[in-house]
Amino acid sequence: MRLILFALLGLSVLACSVEQNTFTANIYHNTAAHYNGYYYAREKTREVEKVIARSLDDDPNQILRLFPKLDSTLAKSYQKDTEEIIKMASLAIQRHPNSKWVDDCYLLVGKARLYGYDFQNAIQTLKYVNTKSKDTDTRHQALVQLLHTFTEQQEYDRAEETFRFLEKEKLSKHNAKDLYLEKAYYYQERNNYDYMVRNLTLADSLLERADRKGRIYFLIGQVYQKLGFDAEAYNYYRKCIGTNPDYEIDFYARLNMAQVARLDDTRDIKHLRAQFEKMLTDTKNAEFKDKIYYELGEFDRKQGNLKQAIESYSLAAHAGTNKRIQGSAFLRIGQLQFDSLKKYSLAKLYYDSTINTLPKDFENYEAIKKRQEVLGEFVKYTEAIIWNDSLLLMTAMDTARLRKQIDSILAERAKPLAASKKKKRKTYSAAAPATTSAFFNQDNGSGVDWYFGNPAAVALGQTEFNRIWGAIPLEDNWRRSNKTTVLQEPANLLAGGETRTEKIPSDASIPTQKVDEAGKLISQIPRTAEDKAKALALIEDGYFKLGDLFYFQLNEKNNAAESYTKLLNRFPESEYVPEVLYKLYLIAKDTDATSAEVFANRLKNDHPRSTFTRILINPDYIRETSVAAEKQKLIYQNAYSQFQNNNLRAAQDNLKQALMEGETTFTPQLELLQVLITGKTEDINRYQFELGEYIKKYPDGALKPYAEELLTASKTLISRLERARGIQFAKALEGAHSFVVVYNTSDKITIPISNALEKFNNTNFKDLKLTTTNIILTEEKTITIVSDLPNKSTALSYFDKFLAQIAPTKPFSNYKFNSFVITKDNFQIFYRTKALDEYLTFFDRNYQKQNQ
C-alpha cells in the first residue's frame, strides 16, 4: 500500500513539470489551468462586464444603445479587476503552457485590455490569438472581440475588413450570434439603422436568455419604427412584452405599440385605449403618468381627435416633472394650434412655454426656437389680415343692422361670464375674497373657468413668471435673498426705487363704466376710399410678410408658396409681384419644373425690366453688376465734377463711358445726370420731357422723388415767367404746321379720331405723307396731332376741308372738341403752358380773319 502511494506521489511530481507532454501531464495541466487561473480570470471578467452593463443609462424615449460605450473614467473604477484578470490568466499561461486553455487565457487578457481602455495592447493580444490558436471557435471569438475594439476606436475601415472576413467563415451558433450583434453595433455607431436592424433580426433566432432578449426586441421595434415600418415595429414590441422584460422596457413597449398601431383596425384601437386606461389606474405607473398622457395625446392626434389630444397633452404637461415630456406636450399643443386650428395667438403662448421648458439638447431645438421667435411677427401679420378683411366685409352692411348683430354677439358672450362670476362670488367670497380674481376669470375663450384648468392661462403665467424671475426653486420667500420670514403690507414699487403701500379697494368701491364695444368696433370700419385702400394695403403687406416668414425664417416652402399665391391672386397689380414671382420660381424649380417655367415666363413677359427678371436670366447678375457699378461710380465722380464746372461735353463723354459698362443698379444715377446735362444744353421742353420719361422708367427708383422735384420746380418756374410777361405766341406764321384736335380724355375717343383722321389724310392729302400721333395734354384733355403740313396755306386748306367733310360726321359730331392749326414753335409754347383758351383766341385773330 505504501508503495502505491509513493508511486502516485512520484507521478504527480513528474506531471507538474511544464516540459512534460505525456498523457498524465496533459490531464494535470489542463485541469489546473482550467480550474485555477482561467476560472478565476473568467469570473472576474464576468464581474467587469456586469459593471459595464450597469453603466448603460437607457432612455426608452431614444433609440437604445446595443452595447454600452467604453469609457476611460469608468475603466479606472474596475482597474484592479482587469489587472487581476490579466494576472490570473498570465499565471495559467506561464505555469501550464502546454494546456488547451492557453489560447482561452490569452482571449481573456485581450478582453481585459479592451475593457481597461488599453486598445493597442488589446489589438495585439487578440491578433496573437487569431494567429496562434489551433481552435477555430477561439480564433473566431478573438476576431469578434477585435471587431468590437476597432468599432470603439472608430477605426471603421478595419472593423469592416474584420467582419467581411468573418462572413466567409463557417461560425458556430454562438459566434454567429456575436458577429451579428457586433455588426449591428458597428452600424449603429455609423447611424446606418437599416443595416443595423437587418443584423439584429438575423441574430433573433440565436439569442439566449442571458442576452436580454426583451431589450433587443424593444431596440429592433424602435429602429423599425424610426424607419417607418410600423407593422414590423408593432410585432417586435409584442415579442418584447412576451419575454417579460424589465418593468421600464415593458412599460415603454406598451406605449410604443400605440404609436405604431394600425388605425384602421378597430380591435387594435379598442385594445390600446383599454391598455392606456389600465396603465393610468395602475399605481406602479404613478411616476410615468406624464408619459402615458403624452402618448395618449399622440394616439388621439393620429386619429384626428384634436380636442382629446390637446386635453391629454395638457394633462401630460402638469402630471410630472420631466422637462422633456412637459416641453414636448407644450410643443404639440402649439403645433396643433398653429397648423390645424389656426389659433396663432395661442400657438405663440405654447411655443413660449416650450422654449422655457425644453432642454437645449432636444432634437430640432434650434428650429423650434426659430419658430417661437418669429411667431410674434406671424401673429401680427395674420391678425392684421383677418381684422382688416372683417372690417372690409362689414362696410357692405347696414350700420343699424350691424350694431344689432354685434350687440347680440357680445350679449351671448357675456352670459356665461356673468353666470360664472355670480357662482364664484357665492362659492368663494367668504373663503378667499382676495385671491379669487387671481385664479378665476381666465376663460380666454376656452370655456374653462378655473385658472389651472386652462392650459393657455397656465402657459402664459409660467412664461411671464420665468421671464421676470427666471428658473428658481419652489420655497417660501422666494423673492428674498434673506429667507427670514417677514410679514408686511404689500407694496407697489415706484420710480426711483421708492415703495408705497396702497389699500386694495373692494369690488363695490371700483367705479364701473359701460363701454360701447359695438360703437367702438363700428368706428373702425373703413368708410372712405382712402381708409379702404389703407386696409387693403395692410392685407397685401401681411400676405407678403407671412410668405417671407415661412420662406426665410421657418424654411416652410409650401406654406410660403400658399401665402405668395394668395397675394398674387388678390393683388395682381401689387408692387411685390415681380419679387413674389421670382420666389415662387425658386420654390417650384426643384419640385415642379412646369410651375417653375410658368412663373419664370410670367416674370419675363410682364416685368422685363425688373431686377428679379435680370437675376432669373443671369444668376450672376448681382455679382457682375456690383463690379460694373463700382467702376461706374468712379467714372461718375469725374463726370459730375465736369458738370459742376460746366464742362458739359467732357461730362457727356464720361457718362457714355460709364454706360458702356452695362446696366447696373447705379445706371439710374447716370441717366439722371444725363437729364441734367440736357437741361443745360437743350430747351426747357426737352428737359421736362426727359424728366417725365425718367420718372416713368424708374417708378420705384430711389431718385424718383428728386426727379419729380426737379420737374415740378421747372414747371413752376416757367409758369411764373409766363404769368409775369403774359403768354405770347409767335406771330411768325410761315413754315411747317400741325393740325390739332383737342377733346376730353373721359370721352375715350382717341382711337376713333385717329382712325378718322388717317382715312381723311389718305383720301385728301396722300402725297404729303402726314403722320398722326396722340398726346395727353392734361389730366382732363387729350390731343391728336397731324404733323408735317408744309406751310400755312396748306394747313388752312386742311383745316377747311376737315370742317366741311368730317367734322359733321362721327365720332366728331357726337362729342365736344376744338380744332386748329399751329406752328412748331407755338406748339411748344402751347404744350408747355396748356393755354388752350389763349391759343384759340390767337388762332381766331391770326388765322380765321385771314381765311375769311
Side-chain angles (χ1 to χ4, degrees):
M1 189 65 181
R2 289 182 180 180
L3 289 173
I4 294 172
L5 290 172
F6 279 116
L8 290 172
L9 181 62
L11 286 171
S12 40
V13 170
L14 288 172
C16 289
S17 174
V18 295
E19 290 81 10
Q20 292 294 323
N21 196 22
T22 63
F23 175 76
T24 308
N26 287 339
I27 292 175
Y28 169 76
H29 285 299
N30 287 337
T31 304
H34 184 198
Y35 292 105
N36 285 309
Y38 174 78
Y39 174 81
Y40 288 113
R42 185 188 65 189
E43 293 304 306
K44 276 293 181 185
T45 300
R46 288 175 176 172
E47 290 179 15
V48 170
E49 287 174 344
K50 288 180 180 178
V51 174
I52 295 172
R54 285 196 297 270
S55 71
L56 198 60
D57 185 18
D58 281 343
D59 179 6
N61 293 298
Q62 309 295 325
I63 291 181
L64 302 181
R65 286 186 64 86
L66 180 57
F67 296 132
K69 186 78 174 173
L70 294 179
D71 179 73
S72 57
T73 304
L74 180 66
K76 291 178 182 179
S77 67
Y78 52 73
Q79 182 176 354
K80 291 183 179 179
D81 292 330
T82 53
E83 290 173 352
E84 185 69 13
I85 294 168
I86 295 171
K87 177 182 176 182
M88 297 304 297
S90 298
L91 284 175
I93 294 168
Q94 292 167 8
R95 293 180 181 178
H96 311 288
N98 293 324
S99 77
K100 66 179 181 180
W101 296 97
V102 169
D103 50 0
D104 295 279
C105 288
Y106 273 117
L107 185 60
L108 291 177
V109 171
K111 280 188 174 183
R113 287 173 173 166
L114 169 61
Y115 298 153
Y117 218 68
D118 184 6
F119 294 138
Q120 293 306 316
N121 284 325
I123 291 170
Q124 294 300 322
T125 305
L126 295 170
K127 283 184 175 180
Y128 178 83
V129 176
N130 178 51
T131 305
K132 299 297 183 181
S133 177
K134 296 177 181 179
D135 183 70
T136 303
D137 284 349
T138 305
R139 290 202 311 273
H140 290 162
Q141 288 180 46
L143 288 175
V144 169
Q145 293 302 315
L146 190 62
L147 167 58
H148 190 88
T149 307
F150 287 145
T151 303
E152 288 290 340
Q153 274 195 301
Q154 298 182 354
E155 294 187 17
Y156 299 122
D157 291 339
R158 297 174 73 184
E160 185 171 355
E161 184 181 348
T162 303
F163 71 68
R164 294 297 180 205
F165 173 80
L166 281 171
E167 286 173 345
K168 300 172 185 177
E169 295 286 297
K170 186 177 181 180
L171 305 177
S172 66
K173 286 186 177 181
H174 181 80
N175 285 337
K177 175 199 71 176
D178 286 348
L179 175 60
Y180 290 137
L181 294 177
E182 289 295 344
K183 283 173 65 180
Y185 180 59
Y186 163 85
Y187 284 118
Q188 184 178 29
E189 290 294 288
R190 303 298 302 274
N191 292 319
N192 189 335
Y193 291 105
D194 184 13
Y195 278 91
M196 176 191 177
V197 79
R198 292 186 190 187
N199 283 279
L200 287 175
T201 52
L202 288 172
D204 182 4
S205 60
L206 304 173
L207 293 174
E208 303 167 5
R209 188 170 184 82
D211 295 315
R212 298 178 67 188
K213 293 170 70 172
R215 184 179 183 278
I216 292 178
Y217 288 153
F218 181 79
L219 174 55
I220 295 173
Q222 284 185 307
V223 177
Y224 270 132
Q225 185 177 351
K226 181 179 179 66
L227 295 176
F229 298 102
D230 289 351
E232 293 297 326
Y234 188 88
N235 291 335
Y236 271 97
Y237 286 137
R238 286 185 75 97
K239 288 181 73 172
C240 168
I241 294 170
T243 62
N244 194 24
D246 294 341
Y247 175 75
E248 190 172 18
I249 294 295
D250 179 277
F251 172 78
Y252 278 92
R254 295 178 188 276
L255 287 182
N256 290 358
M257 281 177 67
Q259 297 177 10
V260 297
R262 289 178 54 188
L263 299 181
D264 58 348
D265 190 331
T266 55
R267 289 179 301 176
D268 279 353
I269 292 174
K270 288 180 180 178
H271 171 72
L272 290 168
R273 282 204 179 279
Q275 191 164 272
F276 274 119
E277 291 176 7
K278 183 178 178 182
M279 286 190 289
L280 285 169
T281 55
D282 192 338
T283 55
K284 295 197 300 291
N285 297 331
E287 61 178 303
F288 298 118
K289 273 194 173 184
D290 52 353
K291 179 64 177 176
I292 299 171
Y293 278 124
Y294 181 81
E295 293 301 334
L296 181 56
E298 292 283 271
F299 184 64
D300 279 319
R301 179 180 63 85
K302 290 177 181 178
Q303 294 180 78
N305 303 326
L306 301 188
K307 183 178 179 181
Q308 293 89 329
I310 290 174
E311 289 175 0
S312 295
Y313 290 136
S314 181
L315 290 168
H318 300 97
T321 58
N322 187 312
K323 293 295 182 182
R324 284 184 179 274
I325 296 175
Q326 189 180 41
S328 298
F330 285 138
L331 175 62
R332 275 286 188 245
I333 299 175
Q335 289 170 338
L336 290 177
Q337 298 287 3
F338 185 93
D339 297 318
S340 302
L341 302 178
K342 308 300 182 185
K343 295 182 178 179
Y344 303 113
S345 298
L346 276 176
K348 174 68 168 65
L349 296 176
Y350 281 109
Y351 267 94
D352 288 344
S353 297
T354 299
I355 292 304
N356 286 332
T357 307
L358 281 179
K360 292 185 178 179
D361 62 349
F362 188 81
E363 185 179 7
N364 294 325
Y365 179 85
E366 290 303 320
I368 296 167
K369 192 171 190 299
K370 192 73 175 176
R371 176 175 270 212
Q372 179 258 345
E373 289 172 349
V374 302
L375 266 178
E377 286 186 79
F378 190 93
V379 170
K380 170 185 171 184
Y381 297 124
T382 305
E383 291 187 347
I385 292 171
I386 295 170
W387 176 250
N388 285 287
D389 264 337
S390 301
L391 292 178
L392 288 170
L393 188 63
M394 286 188 278
T395 58
M397 299 176 68
D398 177 69
T399 304
R401 182 184 171 192
L402 179 61
R403 174 179 281 278
K404 185 178 179 181
Q405 193 170 344
I406 294 173
D407 285 336
S408 176
I409 293 171
L410 292 174
E412 287 298 318
R413 288 185 179 179
K415 284 180 182 178
L417 184 60
S420 173
K421 288 181 177 179
K422 185 176 180 181
K423 181 179 177 182
K424 284 182 282 186
R425 279 197 297 271
K426 288 181 179 179
T427 308
Y428 299 102
S429 58
T435 59
T436 299
S437 61
F439 296 99
F440 291 87
N441 198 20
Q442 301 287 340
D443 182 25
N444 291 329
S446 65
V448 179
D449 291 330
W450 191 46
Y451 175 86
F452 289 107
N454 186 338
V458 173
L460 178 61
Q462 289 176 332
T463 301
E464 189 66 10
F465 184 89
N466 288 333
R467 183 183 67 80
I468 298 172
W469 302 105
I472 60 174
L474 182 62
E475 58 185 354
D476 291 338
N477 301 302
W478 48 269
R479 288 183 293 182
R480 295 183 169 278
S481 57
N482 180 3
K483 303 299 182 185
T484 306
T485 302
V486 178
L487 296 176
Q488 65 175 30
E489 292 293 322
N492 294 328
L493 189 63
L494 300 177
E498 300 177 19
T499 61
R500 74 175 177 213
T501 302
E502 292 183 353
K503 181 180 179 182
I504 301 176
S506 64
D507 289 346
S509 64
I510 299 177
T512 59
Q513 183 177 356
K514 186 176 180 180
V515 180
D516 182 9
E517 295 290 346
K520 187 177 179 183
L521 177 59
I522 291 172
S523 67
Q524 298 180 59
I525 296 175
R527 299 293 185 186
T528 66
E530 184 182 355
D531 289 340
K532 290 178 182 178
K534 287 180 181 178
L536 287 169
L538 290 172
I539 296 170
E540 176 186 350
D541 189 61
Y543 280 126
F544 181 75
K545 294 294 176 56
L546 283 179
D548 280 358
L549 286 175
F550 276 125
Y551 191 22
F552 297 111
Q553 302 292 337
L554 301 178
N555 196 29
E556 297 177 12
K557 294 182 179 180
N558 290 336
N559 286 331
E562 184 180 347
S563 290
Y564 290 143
T565 303
K566 286 180 179 177
L567 172 62
L568 287 181
N569 293 338
R570 190 163 177 186
F571 302 97
E573 302 300 324
S574 170
E575 63 179 9
Y576 296 125
V577 168
E579 184 174 352
V580 166
L581 287 171
Y582 180 68
K583 288 173 181 174
L584 285 171
Y585 161 78
L586 293 178
I587 292 170
K589 71 174 184 176
D590 294 330
T591 56
D592 187 351
T594 304
S595 295
E597 186 176 358
V598 171
F599 292 130
N601 289 336
R602 186 174 169 187
L603 178 59
K604 287 185 284 189
N605 295 334
D606 297 349
H607 308 278
R609 298 191 61 83
S610 168
T611 300
F612 297 99
T613 305
R614 292 170 181 151
I615 296 171
L616 176 68
I617 296 170
N618 177 18
D620 294 326
Y621 172 77
I622 296 294
R623 179 179 58 80
E624 291 174 2
T625 54
S626 64
V627 174
E630 291 302 318
K631 293 181 181 178
Q632 288 176 335
K633 288 177 183 177
L634 293 174
I635 300 171
Y636 175 83
Q637 290 178 357
N638 189 36
Y640 190 73
S641 176
Q642 298 286 359
F643 172 75
Q644 287 181 315
N645 294 327
N646 214 31
N647 297 326
L648 302 182
R649 185 175 296 278
Q652 284 182 323
D653 291 340
N654 282 321
L655 284 178
K656 288 178 182 178
Q657 181 186 353
L659 290 169
M660 287 176 64
E661 293 293 332
E663 191 167 357
T664 70
T665 54
F666 194 70
T667 300
Q669 190 117 351
L670 298 173
E671 292 186 359
L672 184 58
L673 181 57
Q674 181 69 61
V675 174
L676 295 178
I677 293 173
T678 299
K680 287 193 174 186
T681 57
E682 299 191 33
D683 62 78
I684 192 67
N685 294 317
R686 181 70 179 176
Y687 172 63
Q688 291 181 356
F689 174 78
E690 292 295 338
L691 281 173
E693 290 300 304
Y694 179 90
I695 292 167
K696 292 177 186 177
K697 186 175 181 180
Y698 299 107
D700 300 321
L703 294 174
K704 178 191 173 186
Y706 178 59
E708 289 176 330
E709 286 180 15
L710 292 176
L711 182 58
T712 302
S714 174
K715 290 180 177 180
T716 302
L717 176 62
I718 295 299
S719 177
R720 287 176 180 173
L721 291 174
E722 294 287 355
R723 284 197 299 271
R725 68 187 183 191
I727 299 173
Q728 297 181 1
F729 292 101
K731 293 185 178 180
L733 304 180
E734 297 304 320
H737 276 64
S738 297
F739 172 76
V740 178
V741 179
V742 184
Y743 48 89
N744 294 326
T745 305
S746 59
D747 291 340
K748 298 181 181 179
I749 54 175
T750 300
I751 294 176
I753 285 180
S754 296
N755 293 339
L757 288 173
E758 286 177 358
K759 184 177 179 181
F760 174 74
N761 294 342
N762 290 331
T763 303
N764 297 281
F765 298 91
K766 187 175 183 180
D767 294 339
L768 295 180
K769 297 180 179 179
L770 302 175
T771 59
T772 304
T773 55
N774 302 299
I775 299 176
I776 296 175
L777 180 65
T778 65
E779 290 184 1
E780 296 82 18
K781 298 290 184 181
T782 299
I783 59 176
T784 298
I785 309 167
V786 178
S787 304
D788 300 326
L789 293 165
N791 50 53
K792 176 182 176 182
S793 61
T794 306
L796 287 173
S797 174
Y798 186 100
F799 178 74
D800 291 340
K801 287 183 178 181
F802 166 80
L803 293 179
Q805 295 181 19
I806 65 172
T809 65
K810 294 181 180 180
F812 300 99
S813 62
N814 293 339
Y815 298 95
K816 183 179 179 181
F817 67 93
N818 298 106
S819 60
F820 51 84
V821 294
I822 189 168
T823 62
K824 181 180 178 182
D825 292 338
N826 282 339
F827 180 80
Q828 291 182 354
I829 298 170
F830 166 72
Y831 183 75
R832 183 178 68 246
T833 59
K834 319 299 184 192
L836 176 61
D837 293 336
E838 287 82 351
Y839 185 77
L840 288 174
T841 301
F842 176 85
F843 177 72
D844 287 340
R845 290 175 179 174
N846 294 277
Y847 286 91
Q848 296 284 57
K849 287 183 178 181
Q850 296 178 23
N851 201 32
Q852 290 176 353

